[in-house]
Amino acid sequence: MKIMIAYDGSRNTKLALAQTLTLFGGLKPLILLMGVAENPRDSTDANEDLFQQEYRELKEALEEGKRFVTDEGLGCEVMIAEGDPRKMLLQATKKLVPSLLVVARHSHQPDGGFIAQSLSYFVDELDYMTLGSVSSFLARRVECPLLILPSP
């Protein structure tokens, strides 16, 4: 059994990792920790420096997560990708075919009101408020079982 966990070292993803180990640890799954560093929107030196810092911090967070998993007696692999987290996670599930994908729900305030130009905009805003943009995207597209863990 392989369980892929979208992991960025945030409080929510740490809690999702701990919950996953509690729920499935007895099955002795291989844990695949997947982190995604978003590419800068333009190629200025300042943005490249920020990206490199984000990449280093993500790599450190993934290694910390790996130590947590191995301390629990489970096997763990770490993967890091660059790009849009939604697309990179989807691509990774197609390539690695995990038994389960786990994501922590990251809801944020939507950037607009309920007044919308179309029904699809309203549905997207509702998805964004309830699931988060990554969770919502994956729920509609991923081909393996998906577990979305809420933040407490």
Side-chain angles (χ1 to χ4, degrees):
M1 174 180 226
K2 291 187 292 190
I3 299 177
M4 180 181 287
I5 302 174
Y7 192 82
D8 63 7
S10 67
R11 176 182 176 273
N12 287 353
T13 60
K14 287 178 181 180
L15 290 170
L17 175 59
Q19 287 177 302
T20 301
L21 297 186
T22 299
L23 291 169
F24 302 103
L27 299 173
K28 300 295 183 196
L30 173 63
I31 302 296
L32 307 170
L33 292 180
M34 174 79 183
V36 181
E38 291 188 65
N39 291 323
R41 297 198 192 280
D42 62 50
S43 59
T44 64
D45 288 340
N47 280 344
E48 181 61 26
D49 290 343
L50 286 173
F51 172 76
Q52 292 301 327
Q53 178 181 345
E54 177 187 343
Y55 189 91
R56 283 190 301 275
E57 290 172 0
L58 179 59
K59 192 172 182 179
E60 289 171 12
L62 287 165
E63 290 301 323
E64 178 185 326
K66 182 178 181 176
R67 283 190 297 277
F68 178 76
V69 172
T70 56
D71 287 349
E72 294 294 318
L74 299 174
C76 184
E77 294 178 9
V78 170
M79 295 158 290
I80 191 165
E82 297 176 19
D84 182 334
R86 300 168 302 171
K87 293 177 183 176
M88 295 295 101
L89 286 165
L90 181 61
Q91 183 179 9
T93 61
K94 289 180 179 182
K95 181 179 178 183
L96 300 171
V97 192
S99 306
L100 178 68
L101 172 62
V102 178
V103 295
R105 186 173 69 196
H106 286 282
S107 294
H108 306 285
Q109 293 296 324
D111 59 353
F114 286 106
I115 301 172
Q117 299 297 320
S118 68
L119 181 58
S120 64
Y121 176 79
F122 177 76
V123 170
D124 287 346
E125 285 294 300
L126 186 60
D127 281 348
Y128 190 67
M129 289 187 306
T130 58
L131 293 175
S133 62
V134 174
S135 301
S136 176
F137 178 90
L138 292 170
R140 291 190 303 264
R141 291 172 179 86
V142 76
E143 296 174 5
C144 66
L146 173 65
L147 176 60
I148 303 171
L149 292 171
S151 54

